[in-house]
Each structure stands twice: as structure tokens, then as C-alpha cells.
Amino acid sequence: MIYLFLGMIHLNDDYNINVQILDFGNSIPAVATINDDGSFSIFLNARLSYERRLEAYWHEMRHIQNQDFCGEMSVEEMEAANQH
């Protein structure tokens, strides 16, 4: 399980996700990466409001759940496919 922002989010036990809040300036809201050990990291922009950080978190979680890191799509193609 992962605990985020005082809320409990239940995920498949196969996921190992590290979430960090960093100051990206006014650029991107969030980014997810796959680590060498198969775990994931989600970096959220500290300049976002709580609500916007939560939206960015779920956006990145959809990339992880859709296994977007395992395909051959470009970032632009993944973003277009992951519109919500």
C-alpha cells in the first residue's frame, strides 16, 4: 500500500512506488520513471496546489498501470493516449 497526502491508496502489491515532491519551477506538473530495480518513482511539482498535485499523481499512476514504460511509444504518443 501507498500512503499519499493523508489518503490511503490501495494498489496491487506488485507495484513499488516512491513519491517525492520537488520544485520543478513552473514547468511540468509531474513525471514518473521506472528504476533499475523495476520500482517506480513519481516526482510531483511542489508549486502545484494540493488538488493539482493529486491530479498529476493519478495521471502518472495511469502511465504505470497501463505499462506505458514497457512499450515503444514516444512520450508524446503516451501523453496523447493517456488524455483524460
Side-chain angles (χ1 to χ4, degrees):
M1 284 190 210
I2 292 178
Y3 295 89
L4 175 69
F5 308 117
L6 304 177
M8 189 167 82
I9 302 163
H10 182 261
L11 298 173
N12 182 328
D13 291 335
D14 292 339
Y15 291 122
N16 182 8
I17 302 169
N18 176 42
V19 179
Q20 295 191 26
I21 300 173
L22 303 173
D23 188 344
F24 292 146
N26 290 327
S27 59
I28 58 174
V31 65
T33 62
I34 188 166
N35 304 315
D36 290 340
D37 64 358
S39 66
F40 296 91
S41 292
I42 297 176
F43 302 97
L44 302 172
N45 193 334
R47 294 191 183 196
L48 299 177
S49 68
Y50 168 82
E51 291 79 14
R52 185 66 185 103
R53 246 185 264 151
L54 216 45
E55 289 174 16
Y57 170 82
W58 284 113
H59 176 90
E60 299 306 325
M61 281 301 302
R62 278 191 290 283
H63 283 300
I64 293 169
Q65 291 171 331
N66 292 339
Q67 299 181 1
D68 290 343
F69 297 94
C70 301
E72 295 182 18
M73 282 197 280
S74 70
V75 171
E76 292 81 13
E77 291 170 322
M78 280 190 280
E79 288 300 320
N82 198 23
Q83 290 298 319
H84 49 276

